[in-house]
Amino acid sequence: KEALREAKHIARILGERFGAKEVILYGSLSQERYFDMASDIDIVAKGLGDQYLKAYGYCLRLSEFNLDIRAYEDLPDQYKNQVNKQGRCLYAKK
């Protein structure tokens, strides 16, 4: 529960501070039963553009958990399909 709360917080930061249009949780935390202390929080952000590295660094410093933040636009198509099917939207710009 703490990791999911952290993921939602990171998603809000990516959207509100760095302009992500959508933030999607994927991987073990999106399927909570598989998440453990060795897991990281896997996030895909759409629309960060040139803010990606700055946003990633900022979030890494804030988080108690290991983070893996990817730019959706840079993912291979196969990976995008997997994220689209299995991901869980944590933030979407209105």
Side-chain angles (χ1 to χ4, degrees):
K1 290 183 179 188
E2 193 175 324
L4 186 55
R5 187 172 31 254
E6 179 78 9
K8 290 176 181 177
H9 177 69
I10 294 296
R12 195 171 61 252
I13 289 170
L14 290 171
E16 294 174 1
R17 184 176 182 121
F18 294 101
K21 293 175 178 46
E22 186 176 358
V23 180
I24 302 165
L25 178 68
Y26 71 100
S28 59
L29 186 55
S30 68
Q31 321 239 327
E32 294 178 41
R33 60 186 170 195
Y34 298 116
F35 190 83
D36 62 30
M37 292 309 295
S39 300
D40 59 359
I41 297 173
D42 299 300
I43 292 175
V44 170
K46 293 182 181 180
L48 283 175
D50 62 357
Q51 291 291 306
Y52 170 74
L53 289 176
K54 187 175 180 180
Y56 197 173
Y58 183 86
C59 291
L60 280 175
R61 288 190 299 276
L62 283 182
S63 183
E64 298 175 26
F65 294 89
N66 292 323
L67 293 177
D68 183 13
I69 301 173
R70 306 280 176 109
Y72 182 84
E73 295 79 7
D74 294 338
L75 296 175
D77 288 340
Q78 180 181 356
Y79 205 62
K80 286 178 184 177
N81 291 336
Q82 182 180 357
V83 168
N84 291 337
K85 287 179 187 173
Q86 298 174 358
R88 177 175 168 187
C89 183
L90 297 180
Y91 176 90
K93 223 170 208 137
K94 298 174 183 173

